[in-house]
Amino acid sequence: MKTNKDIITVTSPLLPDLDEFNEMLRKIWDNKWITNNGEFHQRFEAALCEYLKVPYISVFTNGTLPLITALQALNISGEVITTPYSFVATTHSLWWNGIKPVFVDIDPATGGIDPERIEAAITPRTTAIMPVHVYGKPCRTREIQDIADKYGLRVIYDAAHAFGIEVDGKSILTEGDMSTLSFHATKVFNTVEGGALVVHDAKTKQRIDYLKNFGFAGETEVVAPGINGKMDELRAAYGLLNLRQVDACIEARRQVAIRYREALRPVNGINFWDDMPGVRHNYSYFPIFVDSEEYGMTRDELFMKLRENGILARRYFYPLISDFSTYRGLPSATRENLPNATRMADTVLCLPIHHLLAEADLARIINLIVK
Ligand code: T4K
């Protein structure tokens, strides 16, 4: 009989020190200001700008509302080019804005959109591209921007997984017109639920701040049909504390990745990515890709074997978004149009990776995969 102690989950949330959090809560209680752009909210945004090396950020109550709000802020309509290899929130944000998603296949080297296939999907109704830095692996941003510039399109990055990712010392979050983050409990950096929108200038930041507060630009003035996306003071304080320990958490995850790579490299049919040169990774996920012919077992057989042994690896991102009933009828949702994404979704397994994984846990997981 397995106890909870024997279960190894795909991730585990980074939690602030409870005494320190209590101290912050006391301050919030004293302030009696618990949401609506309070002291901790402002401090959190400033601290995030510094940590992430970005000029302007607006924090939200989750990682889906920044996607929806970014599309609103840029007046995106018609069709948007995106990929089906992501969490369903990416495409849902388009649907919620009455925009038609157009799926383009991914580059198997990054899991992100294949820039070479974007132009063929552009129509007179296309207004933007929404790529995803899936697993925190940077997309081919320069090529994407060149296409966007050529056709006058906006670029909104779903950077939900890309907390702290840098390329040659520069934050990936500064690419495109805007980038969104998720601070959900399962992310490398979390505020329980939470998210953010990164923008380039003060005017846009102001507009986003209006939009996440119902469009209010003062007590009696509403400048746009906004939404309620505000992060409260408790979670901003929690975020401030987690920011202090996120580097140690990323380093612990890096050690897990190193251990997996050493142990799994000799295993035929188990493929994975190495770090990209010049990139600061965050090790938010450790996807492996199972070649069933070489490995002698399908991805689903390995998934079940691990599960029966208490290892809760996850098939992020299977099924493809384009395979969900909501989107299956779209002209771009066919498997013929999306061969790389289909292959990746059918072979991927994200192994447990987090800051609390002990060597004994890793040995258990690795032994089951190595056979
Ligand atoms: N764009 C992308 C590319 C995204 O990946 C996401 C979210 C979004 C946008 C939208 O951002 P948010 O609006 O969610 O902020 C999770 C998350 O709910 C979701 O945030 C995330 N992506 C997605 C990839 O994964 P589930 O359904 O897999 O989570 P769940 O509850 O099965 O948890 C997985 C494991 O994590 C559990 O087995 C154990 C561990 N866990 C989880 C929670 C919630 C804990 O140890 N403690 C916890 O409190 O969706």
Side-chain angles (χ1 to χ4, degrees):
M1 167 89 181
K2 278 198 178 50
T3 66
N4 265 353
K5 273 184 75 181
D6 296 320
I7 303 286
I8 301 177
T9 50
V10 71
T11 187
S12 182
L14 180 64
L15 292 165
D17 178 87
L18 203 48
D19 291 331
E20 287 182 334
F21 190 46
N22 257 325
E23 265 176 48
M24 288 216 172
L25 290 180
R26 191 160 300 286
K27 183 85 172 43
I28 295 169
W29 261 235
D30 288 345
N31 287 348
K32 295 183 186 55
W33 192 272
I34 57 177
T35 186
N36 286 9
N37 197 24
E39 173 193 336
F40 285 92
H41 182 283
Q42 290 173 27
R43 276 174 55 193
F44 185 38
E45 287 192 344
L48 279 172
C49 278
E50 197 182 325
Y51 180 87
L52 296 171
K53 302 186 188 165
V54 299
Y56 297 95
I57 198 164
S58 187
V59 292
F60 278 74
T61 197
N62 59 49
T64 304
L65 283 169
L67 287 166
I68 291 172
T69 308
L71 292 161
Q72 283 280 323
L74 295 171
N75 294 315
I76 304 298
S77 61
E79 294 176 3
V80 169
I81 290 172
T82 187
T83 83
Y85 195 77
S86 181
F87 188 59
V88 72
T90 313
T91 307
H92 279 351
S93 72
L94 301 172
W95 209 255
W96 273 67
N97 278 289
I99 294 162
K100 182 176 171 189
V102 176
F103 296 116
V104 162
D105 205 10
I106 55 168
D107 170 4
T110 65
I113 197 163
D114 183 351
E116 280 157 38
R117 294 175 191 244
I118 293 177
E119 285 194 74
I122 294 174
T123 75
R125 285 172 51 76
T126 310
T127 54
I129 308 170
M130 184 178 272
V132 185
H133 300 299
V134 70
Y135 311 127
K137 268 180 97 71
C139 293
R140 288 157 61 184
T141 53
R142 189 165 310 151
E143 290 157 84
I144 293 169
Q145 195 59 54
D146 285 347
I147 296 166
D149 291 344
K150 183 171 163 192
Y151 291 90
L153 306 177
R154 299 290 203 160
V155 183
I156 300 167
Y157 281 99
D158 181 338
H161 304 171
F163 187 89
I165 303 293
E166 293 174 12
V167 180
D168 298 327
K170 183 171 175 267
S171 171
I172 194 79
L173 304 170
T174 58
E175 299 291 340
D177 290 282
M178 296 184 185
S179 292
T180 68
L181 284 164
S182 165
F183 303 152
H184 182 261
T186 54
K187 295 290 184 287
V188 74
F189 172 84
N190 83 88
T191 58
V192 185
E193 293 272 355
L197 188 48
V198 174
V199 298
H200 296 296
D201 60 274
K203 202 168 154 225
T204 309
K205 151 88 172 145
Q206 179 65 265
R207 181 160 162 74
I208 298 301
D209 287 348
Y210 292 154
L211 282 174
K212 77 174 180 189
N213 185 26
F214 311 98
F216 272 109
E219 210 172 304
T220 54
E221 202 193 353
V222 168
V223 292
I227 200 159
N228 184 359
K230 294 168 274 116
M231 179 180 278
D232 61 72
E233 289 289 272
L234 283 72
R235 285 188 278 163
Y238 179 110
L240 275 168
L241 290 175
N242 262 356
L243 212 43
R244 291 184 197 162
Q245 47 171 5
V246 69
D247 280 342
C249 169
I250 290 173
E251 176 54 24
R253 285 168 171 269
R254 192 174 76 86
Q255 294 303 328
V256 173
I258 289 171
R259 179 82 172 87
Y260 276 140
R261 285 175 185 150
E262 268 170 19
L264 300 180
R265 204 174 295 281
V267 182
N268 277 341
I270 298 293
N271 302 310
F272 50 82
W273 286 312
D274 283 303
D275 286 354
M276 294 163 80
V279 174
R280 180 196 188 238
H281 291 278
N282 66 14
Y283 309 94
S284 47
Y285 297 86
F286 194 85
I288 59 169
F289 305 99
V290 182
D291 179 330
S292 56
E293 301 229 321
E294 279 188 30
Y295 184 59
M297 202 185 250
T298 65
R299 182 276 309 274
D300 287 340
E301 285 165 346
L302 178 60
F303 171 70
M304 286 313 295
K305 178 182 171 184
L306 291 174
R307 182 157 281 240
E308 280 155 17
N309 285 277
I311 316 294
L312 305 186
R314 293 292 294 266
R315 290 169 291 183
Y316 298 128
F317 288 97
Y318 165 87
L320 290 177
I321 300 175
S322 47
D323 281 338
F324 288 124
S325 56
T326 319
Y327 301 113
R328 208 181 286 151
L330 289 168
S332 61
T334 63
R335 297 200 141 211
E336 297 70 50
N337 185 41
L338 307 163
N340 294 328
T342 301
R343 197 170 314 111
M344 204 172 273
D346 287 347
T347 58
V348 70
L349 193 58
C350 287
L351 299 182
I353 186 163
H354 59 81
H355 60 298
L356 300 177
L357 272 185
E359 172 50 34
D361 299 327
L362 282 169
R364 248 177 80 198
I365 300 165
I366 288 164
N367 285 341
L368 285 163
I369 300 172
V370 170
K371 292 182 280 190

